[in-house]
């Protein structure tokens, strides 16, 4: 199964993709994570992407589609969860091609339907453990012991440089202008499913699981 999780910044794509990877053996392919890795290691792609990401704008289609192309084969066994990709019509068409070259295709495109104003609060308070990546939030989920990661006991945490209100607003505007217009491309092919992204995390998970179970049933029928 290959699925796309679509939704504005903070909609919960990464949260749900990580869960699906852990529970279903699928592989999370997050272009945001790949770009952040590239920035952190100072690769040529990272050097090009850094300022664009900090401004909340989209990195070029060629760069992100090349990154996905490089990682796609790692999802051979369990299938891929595309998290934050595609984000433009050109990327959507590139993904179809990359999948067709591997004799596979998309099974579902899941849109997390959310209230953008509530998302600013979700994003601006978040931070994660610098060692194991466990996510936290200033208001919703602090470590049990102040300054110590619940999972690995590390005392180092990090915040994304693009998680400030001005940049989040630009990221949302980019989503409305360039990403939301690709929804009809998938709707026309009968692939688009919507879930209520404002529901609690567990409830969003249940809605997504129902979609995947029914896609699995129709694939095996
Ligand atoms: P990227 O890393 O993809 O960021 P994003 O799309 O802005 O999404 P986020 O990671 O902020 O949010 P999310 O939807 O994953 O939510 P999360 O689960 O973390 O991209 C960053 C940048 O990279 C882009 O701006 C662009 O510059 C570049 N880029 C990346 N891909 C690109 C592409 N394809 N093309 C061009 N440029 C690209 O959840 C957020 C918070 O909410 C967390 O604290 C979480 O715990 C909490 N939460 C999640 N679900 C719920 C819930 N149901 N209820 C309450 N809280 C919840």
């Amino acid at each position: 199964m290959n699925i796309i999780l679509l939704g504005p910044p903070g909609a919960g794509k990464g949260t749900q993709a990580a869960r699906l990877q852990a529970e279903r053996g699928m592989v999370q392919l997050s272009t945001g994570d790949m770009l952040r890795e590239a920035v952190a290691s100072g690769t040529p792609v990272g050097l090009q992407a850094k300022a664009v990401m900090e401004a909340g704008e989209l990195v070029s289609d060629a760069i992100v589609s090349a990154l996905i192309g490089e990682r796609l084969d790692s999802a051979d066994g369990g299938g891929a969860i595309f998290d934050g990709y595609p984000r433009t019509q050109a990327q959507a068409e590139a993904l179809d091609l990359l999948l067709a070259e591997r004799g596979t295709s998309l099974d579902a495109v899941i849109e997390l339907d959310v209230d953008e104003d509530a998302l600013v609060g979700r994003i601006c308070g978040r931070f994660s453990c610098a060692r194991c990546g466990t996510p936290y939030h200033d208001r919703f989920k602090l470590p049990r012991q102040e300054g110590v990661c619940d999972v690995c006991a590390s005392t180092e945490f990090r915040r994304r440089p693009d998680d400030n209100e001005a940049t989040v607003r630009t990221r949302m505007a980019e989503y409305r202008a360039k990403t939301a217009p690709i929804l009809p491309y998938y709707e026309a092919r009968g692939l688009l499913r919507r879930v209520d992204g404002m529901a609690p995390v567990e409830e969003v998970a249940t809605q997504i699981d129902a979609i995947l179970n029914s896609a699995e049933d129709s694939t095996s029928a």
Side-chain angles (χ1 to χ4, degrees):
M1 291 250 289
N2 296 306
I3 66 162
I4 296 174
L5 295 181
L6 266 178
K13 305 179 293 294
T15 302
Q16 296 298 332
R19 180 192 66 83
L20 289 169
Q21 173 164 276
E23 292 177 6
R24 291 191 176 237
M26 299 172 82
V27 175
Q28 175 183 11
L29 295 175
S30 158
T31 41
D33 287 346
M34 293 174 203
L35 289 165
R36 279 184 288 279
E37 276 165 29
V39 170
S41 23
T43 65
V45 162
L47 293 176
Q48 279 188 63
K50 187 170 187 286
V52 180
M53 292 173 79
E54 283 176 4
E57 290 163 7
L58 294 189
V59 174
S60 83
D61 292 333
I63 286 181
V64 292
S65 293
L67 287 173
I68 285 287
E70 284 164 18
R71 304 281 179 100
L72 199 45
D73 294 329
S74 68
D76 243 6
I81 310 152
F82 297 100
D83 161 13
Y85 178 91
R87 275 169 137 102
T88 63
Q89 182 66 29
Q91 292 178 27
E93 290 169 16
L95 177 60
D96 284 341
L97 209 63
L98 287 166
L99 291 171
E101 282 166 4
R102 288 159 177 80
T104 184
S105 58
L106 287 168
D107 296 281
V109 177
I110 301 175
E111 181 194 5
L112 298 164
D113 196 13
V114 283
D115 164 10
E116 283 193 8
D117 285 325
L119 297 189
V120 177
R122 268 195 201 176
I123 294 179
C124 290
R126 74 176 162 182
F127 59 99
S128 61
C129 170
R131 189 195 292 162
C132 73
T134 299
Y136 295 98
H137 194 283
D138 291 330
R139 275 189 292 151
F140 309 128
K141 193 195 164 205
L142 285 166
R144 284 191 294 270
Q145 183 184 340
E146 195 183 340
V148 182
C149 175
D150 295 347
V151 175
C152 74
S154 166
T155 51
E156 281 181 43
F157 295 86
R158 66 178 156 222
R159 288 176 194 265
R160 279 171 45 176
D162 59 346
D163 278 354
N164 57 78
E165 179 158 359
T167 309
V168 170
R169 297 275 179 205
T170 306
R171 286 158 60 194
M172 284 175 176
E174 288 282 84
Y175 180 82
R176 279 195 298 275
K178 296 172 185 164
T179 308
I182 68 177
L183 293 170
Y185 180 68
Y186 294 118
E187 189 149 39
R189 288 157 59 185
L191 289 171
L192 188 64
R193 305 281 180 274
R194 287 192 174 86
V195 304
D196 174 10
M198 297 313 293
V201 173
E202 301 71 29
E203 230 173 280
V204 178
T206 304
Q207 292 178 50
I208 291 177
D209 285 343
I211 292 167
L212 297 194
N213 292 342
S214 119
E216 257 167 9
D217 288 348
S218 49
T219 313
S220 56

